[in-house]
Amino acid sequence: MYNAKSSVAQEFINHEEILSTIEYARNNKNNYEMINDILQEAEQMNGISHRQAAVLLECDDKEVLTKIYNLAGRIKERIYGKRIVMFAPLYLSNYCVNGCTYCPYHAKNTTITRKQLSQEEIAREVMALQDMGHKRLALESGEDPHRNSIEYILESIKTIYSIHHKNGAIRRVNVNIAATTKENYKKLVEAGIGTYILFQETYHQKTYEEIHPTGPKHNYAYHTEAMDRAMEAGIDDVGIGVLFGLYDHMYDFVGLMMHAEHLEAKFGVGPHTISIPRIRPADDINVDEFSYAIDDALFKKIVALVRICAPYTGIIISTRESQKSREEVLKIGVSQISGGSKTSVGGYEKDENSDENSKQFDVDDNRTLDEVVNWLLKLGYVPSFCTACYRAGRTGDRFMRLAKSGQIVNVCQPNSLMTLNEYLIDYAKDETKILAQNVIDSELEMIPKEKVKNIAKDYILQMESGKRDFRF
Ligand code: SF4
Ligand code: SF4
C-alpha cells in the first residue's frame, strides 16, 4: 500500500503506485485541459505531484514541450538567477565488494587498477584541487567495509578540511558513500559534512536486484531507506538521484519524484539536491547491454520536469555530460556542475592518462575548471564557489524556509560574487579574469539592498590586501 510517510521502502516507493501513475499518464496523454492546469499550478513554484509530472513527461506535443521549457527556465531564473555552483568529485578508493553490473569498480572486474589513497596522497589531491580554485568537493568511494571503513572516510574528511594551501581551502565536503548505519551517519555529521549523496540507481526493485547481484548493495530496502537513516541521524541535507538508462525512464522518474515527496512528507524537508546522471561507457561495461538509455531530448525534458517538481532543490549534472548537453540543461534547471573533474583515484595530482585504468566512467566534458568558468561567464552565468549556507547553519528546513521565502537570494547573490572574486584573484587565467571582473562589477550594482551591496563591495576591496573567506 502506498504511503508517502512510511519508513518502509516498498510503501513510500510503491510499485503499484508507480504503475498506476504511468497508466494515469498514458490515459491522459496530451490531455490539454489537464496539462494547462498542471502548468498553471506549477507556475506558483510550489512544485507538482509525481502524477502531474508523469502526465507532463508523457506528453509529446511540441508546443507543450516549449511551454515546459519556458516554465522551467522561468523558475530557474527566479530562484537561482544566473548563479551556477561549482564542485569537483574526489575519488578516494575504487576497492568495492559489490557486483554492480554498470560500474567498472564492481568486485569481479580484474582488469581495473585498484587503488586507495593514503592520507598523504589525499593531501596532495586536495592541494591540486585547491590550485585549480575548487572550494567544494564530493567525496566518492567504493564500498569495502575493511579497506574503506568509516574510520578511513572520517580521517580523509579531516585531512581534506585541514589543508590550506596558499589561499586555498575546501570549505564543504559532500560525501557519496555506500548506504550505512545510523551510527555511521552520526559520525559523518560530527565530521562536518555538507550533503550526504546516495544514488538509488533504479527504483525498480527487480531490476535493482538483478544489476546488484552480489554484495551488501543487493539489499534494495536497506539502500532505499538509507536517506531516512541519514536524516534521522541528523544529516540535514541529502542528495538523491537515479542513473538513467538502467531501467524504464518513466518508472525511475516517478520513483525519484516519490522519493523526494517521501522525504518532504516524513521530515518536512525534501532532498537538498537531485543528480541526473546517464549511463556512460567504462572499462568492462558495455553500455549497449542497457537498452533503456535516454537520448539528449528526453534527458533535457527530465531535467526541466525535475526543476518544475522541486523548484528549491539543487539539480546537479557532472562531466559525464558533453559541453553541448550541459549548455542545454543549464538554461532549464541545472544549478550545480562539476568542472575539471577526474574520475580516477589519484587523478588530480597525476595526469589522468597515467591512471586511465582506475577511473569510474568516461568524462565527456574534459575542459579545465578555468575553461568551464570562462565558458559559463561567456554564456552570461555567474560561476559561484559559495559554500556559505552549511557553514552558517542554514541547512535542512532552515535552508528551505529561506529558499521558499525568496530571501536566500539576498545571501546567494553577494556570496557568489565574492567567491568568484576570490577565484579571479587567485586562479583565473587572463581572459577569464577580465570576463569575471566585468560580471562582478555589473552584478554588484544589481544587489537590491543598499547595505548588502556596500558590505559586499567593501569585502571585495579587502580581498586586494589578501583577506579571504567573507560570507553572508
Ligand atoms: Fe561499487 Fe558503487 Fe561501483 Fe557499485 S556503483 S561497484 S557500489 S563503486
Ligand atoms: Fe548555496 Fe547558500 Fe551559497 Fe546560496 S548562499 S550559493 S544557497 S551555499
Side-chain angles (χ1 to χ4, degrees):
M1 175 83 96
Y2 175 50
N3 177 0
K5 282 192 176 170
S6 169
S7 302
V8 178
Q10 287 84 354
E11 290 179 2
F12 64 81
I13 304 292
N14 182 255
H15 178 63
E16 284 70 35
E17 171 61 17
I18 298 180
L19 293 185
S20 139
T21 299
I22 295 172
E23 201 189 335
Y24 175 80
R26 296 209 169 124
N27 290 341
N28 287 293
K29 185 172 180 143
N30 298 347
N31 176 339
Y32 296 108
E33 205 184 324
M34 180 184 274
I35 287 168
N36 279 336
D37 286 349
I38 297 172
L39 290 174
Q40 255 182 26
E41 191 179 327
E43 194 82 47
Q44 306 306 312
M45 300 202 306
N46 294 319
I48 54 174
S49 71
H50 61 272
R51 286 211 164 207
Q52 293 173 310
V55 171
L56 296 185
L57 184 54
E58 184 64 20
C59 177
D60 60 4
D61 182 298
K62 285 213 173 92
E63 269 181 37
V64 173
L65 197 58
T66 307
K67 282 186 188 169
I68 289 174
Y69 290 146
N70 289 342
L71 172 60
R74 280 199 300 281
I75 293 176
K76 161 96 198 286
E77 178 72 29
R78 268 187 262 161
I79 297 175
Y80 299 88
K82 297 172 184 159
R83 296 172 298 280
I84 304 291
V85 169
M86 309 300 302
F87 77 98
L90 173 58
Y91 282 77
L92 295 182
S93 166
N94 62 3
Y95 284 96
C96 191
V97 297
N98 287 309
C100 315
T101 56
Y102 51 86
C103 173
Y105 293 174
H106 69 81
K108 288 195 182 124
N109 186 357
T110 52
T111 60
I112 199 162
T113 310
R114 299 284 172 179
K115 193 167 168 48
Q116 183 196 41
L117 296 181
S118 66
Q119 296 307 313
E120 291 69 35
E121 286 170 319
I122 292 172
R124 290 204 293 273
E125 286 284 279
V126 169
M127 282 190 256
L129 281 155
Q130 289 183 3
D131 279 343
M132 291 160 73
H134 277 296
K135 301 282 186 273
R136 177 189 289 248
L137 297 186
L139 275 200
E140 312 277 342
S141 170
E143 179 167 15
D144 187 325
H146 301 296
R147 278 201 179 84
N148 312 332
S149 64
I150 190 72
E151 286 71 30
Y152 169 72
I153 302 290
L154 295 171
E155 200 187 344
S156 305
I157 295 169
K158 209 168 165 188
T159 301
I160 294 166
Y161 279 135
S162 73
I163 305 292
H164 297 282
H165 174 57
K166 298 180 186 163
N167 280 335
I170 298 301
R171 299 174 184 153
R172 178 174 179 131
V173 178
N174 297 332
V175 174
N176 181 357
I177 60 165
T180 185
T181 60
K182 228 189 253 187
E183 227 167 66
N184 285 345
Y185 286 130
K186 277 187 190 147
K187 291 179 187 168
L188 290 176
V189 176
E190 282 156 22
I193 69 159
T195 310
Y196 171 63
I197 303 160
L198 183 71
F199 298 162
Q200 178 64 31
E201 321 298 6
T202 175
Y203 285 96
H204 186 252
Q205 183 165 358
K206 188 166 169 288
T207 305
Y208 179 96
E209 286 165 357
E210 280 165 13
I211 60 176
H212 302 108
T214 53
K217 198 169 172 180
H218 179 73
N219 188 335
Y220 175 84
Y222 188 74
H223 189 86
T224 310
E225 291 159 9
M227 291 314 189
D228 293 50
R229 291 194 298 282
M231 292 187 86
E232 279 158 10
I235 296 183
D236 286 337
D237 294 338
V238 297
I240 61 174
V242 289
L243 183 52
F244 280 98
L246 295 177
Y247 188 60
D248 175 55
H249 71 271
M250 178 64 114
Y251 191 102
D252 275 331
F253 173 76
V254 174
L256 186 63
M257 293 304 101
M258 282 168 72
H259 201 171
E261 286 170 5
H262 160 67
L263 296 175
E264 176 94 43
K266 189 171 167 193
F267 298 100
V269 51
H272 192 69
T273 56
I274 293 180
S275 298
I276 312 181
R278 282 192 282 181
I279 195 147
R280 291 282 303 154
D283 178 71
D284 200 36
I285 304 299
N286 181 5
V287 277
D288 297 334
E289 281 174 22
F290 297 94
S291 53
Y292 294 105
I294 59 171
D295 63 17
D296 288 354
L298 187 51
F299 179 67
K300 185 176 169 187
K301 192 173 175 189
I302 288 173
V303 172
L305 289 176
V306 172
R307 177 46 66 232
I308 289 171
C309 283
Y312 301 98
T313 298
I315 299 182
I316 303 179
I317 52 157
S318 71
T319 48
R320 280 172 188 260
E321 292 301 325
S322 66
Q323 174 178 341
K324 186 169 164 280
S325 160
R326 294 176 121 199
E327 191 167 328
E328 281 299 301
V329 291
L330 279 170
K331 290 182 218 154
I332 46 112
V334 168
S335 55
Q336 276 193 39
I337 64 169
S338 47
S341 300
K342 304 292 180 197
T343 58
S344 56
V345 183
Y348 292 105
E349 197 208 353
K350 293 188 194 118
D351 177 354
E352 169 99 346
N353 292 330
S354 65
D355 247 327
E356 181 73 12
N357 208 23
S358 76
K359 68 183 176 187
Q360 194 184 27
F361 57 85
D362 287 347
V363 163
D364 205 321
D365 186 345
N366 283 298
R367 292 170 298 167
T368 63
L369 179 62
D370 194 76
E371 285 166 343
V372 174
V373 168
N374 185 300
W375 165 74
L376 286 172
L377 288 164
K378 282 182 181 156
L379 289 175
Y381 294 108
V382 180
S384 170
F385 294 87
C386 178
T387 55
C389 277
Y390 115 94
R391 298 168 76 214
R394 295 191 294 260
T395 56
D397 55 348
R398 287 178 296 282
F399 170 81
M400 279 299 170
R401 267 203 307 276
L402 274 176
K404 288 181 181 173
S405 68
Q407 287 177 44
I408 196 79
V409 72
N410 296 327
V411 287
C412 284
Q413 210 176 3
N415 283 341
S416 64
L417 298 175
M418 291 190 305
T419 55
L420 180 60
N421 197 62
E422 284 188 342
Y423 179 82
L424 177 161
I425 300 174
D426 291 333
Y427 310 104
K429 296 239 161 69
D430 289 347
E431 196 201 33
T432 310
K433 235 179 217 164
I434 295 166
L435 288 169
Q437 190 64 65
N438 290 339
V439 166
I440 292 169
D441 290 346
S442 61
E443 289 289 321
L444 269 173
E445 295 308 323
M446 315 271 271
I447 295 177
K449 286 192 174 167
E450 214 47 39
K451 194 176 163 202
V452 175
K453 185 194 297 184
N454 290 335
I455 296 173
K457 282 184 178 175
D458 178 54
Y459 284 164
I460 283 178
L461 215 63
Q462 290 188 49
M463 286 182 202
E464 295 297 333
S465 56
K467 292 203 178 136
R468 296 289 180 272
D469 200 13
F470 294 102
R471 64 181 150 89
F472 284 90

